[in-house]
Amino acid sequence: MTVKRVVIIGGGAAGMSAASRVKKLRPEWDVKVFEATEWVSHAPCGVPYVVEGISPQEKLMHYPPEVFIKKRGIDLHLRAEVIEVESGNVRVREDETERTYEWDYLLFANGASPQVPALEGIDLPGVFTADLPPDAVAIRGYLEKNDVRNVVVIGTGYIALEMAEAFVAQGKNVTLIGRSERVLRKTFDPEVTGIVESKLRDHLNLRLEELTMHLEGRGRVEKVVTDAGEHPADLVIIATGIKPNTELARQLGVRMGETGAIWTNERMETSVENVYAAGDVAETRHIITGRRVWVPLAPPGNKMGYVAGSNIAGRVVHFRGVLGTSVTKFLDLEIGKTGLTEAEAIKEGYDVRTAFIKAKTRPHYYPGAREIHLKGVVDNETNRLLGVQAVGAEVLPRIDTAAAMISANFTTEDVFFTDLAYAPPFAPVWDPLIVLARVLKF
């Protein structure tokens, strides 16, 4: 029996899913994982909630390292940075020394990194990104050691909103600065973002279409200067996007996709034989359009790792692609989407019709009813549901249901006649998703 050597770069969700899958199918194989930090199987999505103080930092690891080492037999190397990749071997810096390890199969699962703008003052103490668990630890430490009253968050995406919430919830004076004209501009249509922006303005200083010029401070950050003025800042969060960590893959001559992430096929194979990529470093395809997309989210990242590990071990599994299904919140306002927005559908050449509705999450006679808005996007030619966006309360069940419907090529008629559950404590007899389908017509 031939024992294969598998090297995995990155111990996050995709890397550890792949490593665990290989060892499950090929327990005799040598599986090594190299993780540059001391965190493994970590959950970056939890960073805002550690900063807010509602979750302990140690819970950001789904499993402690001992589970992977002792129970699953994975040769896990923490604080081990891969510095060079060649055909058949990698060079790793660990314990202040460099070692070379050979591989028969290689998986790039080294994620993505924040895009930090080249601004004067960006290196001042008190300026942070919010990408990995060490960031949460550093931010919590800074809050405990310094008098932080004014917080500036630069960015208008998911992480920016979640970090803004973390500080608003702690009673800080928060300013959210974005150069775009809307928050969440790339993922939601204006009807939805308008409701989000109204909620934000109730709780923080929202500054849109404002360009950050530089940061100032003596010894630590004290203010953020934009093209429209100055904002006091005892702490600054940079949340201006992320980029895939492709440098090591480029060393090996791996093909990059049109999105800038690593090109992969449905088996998570790259253009180089026996080399795979999974998670935030890899691009995939959109389920609706078939186009190449880069969607750095946790659920597809975990599944990509599972698929890569399966195929490395000889079990053929295909990754089917993504819809970009996602959900977040700001205080008690929930926001979610799946599939294409109206803008995205039109850009892809679809002739669409849309509907935007307001509904309640309970019957009028049952206490606890809250408001939810839904937007649906439909292909006029086929009546196929292309996308759903939601904002308000109890968003997730509607978005998840819509994701399943879109994956199954539901038309608006299919949606309307879906037999969804009803009881007054849980939903109205006409569920908002069914109402949306009725308004969209078929």
Side-chain angles (χ1 to χ4, degrees):
M1 185 180 294
T2 303
V3 175
K4 297 292 186 179
R5 298 161 298 186
V6 180
V7 164
I8 297 173
I9 304 174
M16 298 317 298
S17 292
S20 299
R21 184 63 174 158
V22 174
K23 289 298 285 188
K24 177 75 172 179
L25 297 174
R26 302 286 185 179
E28 73 280 6
W29 282 15
D30 175 19
V31 178
K32 288 181 167 60
V33 177
F34 298 103
E35 167 56 41
T37 73
E38 60 186 18
W39 298 79
V40 67
S41 183
H42 50 73
C45 301
V47 168
Y49 309 107
V50 171
V51 171
E52 186 176 337
I54 61 177
S55 178
Q57 62 193 43
E58 59 271 14
K59 290 289 183 70
L60 288 181
M61 283 194 289
H62 191 69
Y63 293 111
E66 293 75 25
V67 168
F68 297 104
I69 297 168
K70 296 178 180 178
K71 290 189 176 181
R72 302 186 183 179
I74 298 167
D75 186 8
L76 176 60
H77 297 241
L78 298 177
R79 294 177 292 278
E81 181 186 4
V82 177
I83 56 177
E84 188 175 2
V85 177
E86 295 179 334
S87 180
N89 65 76
V90 296
R91 190 152 55 91
V92 183
R93 182 183 295 122
E94 51 185 330
D95 300 327
E96 298 182 358
T97 61
E98 293 182 7
R99 298 181 177 89
T100 299
Y101 298 89
E102 296 181 340
W103 56 265
D104 299 302
Y105 294 96
L106 178 67
L107 171 66
F108 290 102
N110 49 326
S113 295
Q115 286 185 320
V116 180
L119 299 173
E120 182 183 347
I122 203 78
D123 296 324
L124 282 168
V127 180
F128 300 92
T129 57
D131 178 57
L132 292 172
D135 297 326
V137 175
I139 294 167
R140 285 300 308 171
Y142 195 85
L143 286 169
E144 291 165 4
K145 294 176 183 177
N146 296 277
D147 181 18
V148 174
R149 300 181 184 180
N150 299 302
V151 176
V152 172
V153 179
I154 302 174
T156 54
Y158 280 146
I159 296 299
L161 264 62
E162 291 167 0
M163 291 304 296
E165 177 193 60
F167 293 110
V168 168
Q170 295 177 77
K172 310 298 183 185
N173 300 317
V174 178
T175 299
L176 183 66
I177 301 174
R179 64 181 180 180
S180 58
E181 74 280 6
R182 296 189 289 118
V183 299
L184 303 172
R185 177 179 55 86
K186 294 182 179 180
T187 43
F188 291 90
D189 287 325
E191 298 97 321
V192 173
T193 58
I195 294 172
V196 176
E197 288 163 13
S198 177
K199 181 72 171 182
L200 290 169
R201 289 190 175 96
D202 288 341
H203 297 276
L204 54 73
N205 180 22
L206 180 60
R207 312 288 299 192
L208 296 175
E209 297 184 272
E210 193 164 321
L211 183 64
T212 301
M213 307 300 289
H214 62 271
L215 286 65
E216 294 182 7
R218 296 181 181 179
R220 68 175 202 175
V221 70
E222 294 174 345
K223 63 181 171 181
V224 174
V225 180
T226 73
D227 59 354
E230 299 180 352
H231 304 285
D234 304 311
L235 187 150
V236 174
I237 299 293
I238 306 295
T240 50
I242 60 174
K243 57 184 177 181
N245 295 324
T246 59
E247 296 80 7
L248 292 173
R250 292 176 188 274
Q251 289 181 8
L252 199 58
V254 169
R255 172 186 170 190
M256 296 298 122
E258 59 192 76
T259 66
I262 299 173
W263 177 91
T264 62
N265 63 16
E266 291 180 340
R267 298 184 184 188
M268 307 316 300
E269 295 170 319
T270 71
S271 61
V272 176
E273 187 177 4
N274 296 334
V275 178
Y276 295 72
D280 290 358
V281 77
E283 73 171 22
T284 181
R285 59 179 287 276
H286 199 282
I287 290 173
I288 297 175
T289 67
R291 288 189 184 273
R292 307 295 297 183
V293 290
W294 180 56
V295 180
L297 294 171
N302 277 278
K303 292 171 190 168
M304 285 179 180
Y306 182 92
V307 169
S310 298
N311 286 295
I312 288 171
R315 182 77 58 85
V316 176
V317 180
H318 290 169
F319 184 70
R320 299 181 181 181
V322 297
L323 287 173
T325 306
S326 56
V327 65
T328 189
K329 75 180 187 72
F330 180 79
L331 301 177
D332 62 348
L333 185 73
E334 302 171 12
I335 315 139
K337 71 155 292 196
T338 186
L340 303 177
T341 63
E342 181 180 2
E344 290 168 339
I346 291 171
K347 185 178 179 181
E348 291 293 338
Y350 288 97
D351 173 25
V352 301
R353 67 180 184 275
T354 68
F356 186 63
I357 68 162
K358 180 172 70 172
K360 294 288 188 178
T361 60
R362 303 278 190 283
H364 68 278
Y365 55 79
Y366 194 91
R370 295 182 60 199
E371 198 171 86
I372 181 172
H373 289 80
L374 291 175
K375 180 173 182 178
V377 182
V378 173
D379 178 11
N380 265 326
E381 184 178 345
T382 64
N383 275 333
R384 181 186 175 190
L385 184 65
L386 298 177
V388 172
Q389 300 161 64
V391 59
E394 299 175 44
V395 156
L396 186 135
R398 277 86 196 186
I399 291 299
D400 278 351
T401 302
M405 290 171 165
I406 293 170
S407 296
N409 294 319
F410 273 32
T411 64
T412 50
E413 184 175 2
D414 296 326
V415 175
F416 180 81
F417 284 111
T418 299
D419 189 12
L420 299 183
Y422 155 67
F426 305 107
V429 67
W430 288 95
D431 187 89
L433 202 53
I434 304 300
V435 175
L436 180 66
R438 189 178 68 194
V439 174
L440 282 164
K441 299 183 173 60
F442 46 87

